Amino acid sequence: MAERVDERVTAALRTGTREGLVAALADEAARNAGFRDYRDVLLSFAPFYDAARALRLAPSDVFDAAAENVPEDVAELLRTFGRRTDVTLGVFGWVWDGEAYRFALRGDRP
């Protein structure tokens, strides 16, 4: 069974390194190449943005680095998303429960 985005980003945060986060984000972006709806892709990027901030990294740097080796359609989304200033977990439906990222359905928040 393939690892889910919440598991990938949580594991990347736990590495505590820029390299671990960039690699996990690039992997997530590559999985989304050829996307049908860019909004679904942005949902998967939001916890990576939060993880970058938690590690005291500039999201734009992390997202630009991840964009270097992925297909251009998702690379462009990475570069643009990394420069946003309005990204919060809640806006994109995510929570950090103190141990892991998880996608929280309405009413399923800690």
Side-chain angles (χ1 to χ4, degrees):
M1 182 172 176
E3 193 176 358
R4 298 181 329 221
V5 64
D6 55 339
E7 295 167 343
R8 285 190 295 276
V9 68
T10 298
L13 177 63
R14 288 184 179 148
T15 70
T17 67
R18 176 187 178 275
E19 294 76 20
L21 187 60
V22 168
L25 177 56
D27 182 52
E28 179 61 26
R31 290 172 191 267
N32 283 286
F35 57 86
R36 295 187 119 192
D37 188 337
Y38 75 94
R39 295 170 295 189
D40 293 334
V41 181
L42 300 186
L43 285 175
S44 74
F45 288 171
F48 288 96
Y49 190 102
D50 184 77
R53 287 164 63 193
L55 293 174
R56 300 183 187 268
L57 301 170
S60 59
D61 173 59
V62 170
F63 279 70
D64 283 354
E68 290 179 9
N69 295 307
V70 298
E72 188 55 35
D73 60 345
V74 288
E76 184 59 32
L77 288 178
L78 283 166
R79 289 188 288 268
T80 301
F81 195 82
R83 284 168 176 70
R84 289 180 66 160
T85 58
D86 63 340
V87 176
T88 65
L89 290 176
V91 167
F92 287 89
W94 288 91
V95 295
W96 169 257
D97 68 10
E99 294 185 24
Y101 287 101
R102 59 185 178 85
F103 196 71
L105 299 175
R106 183 182 247 195
D108 183 30
R109 300 191 187 263

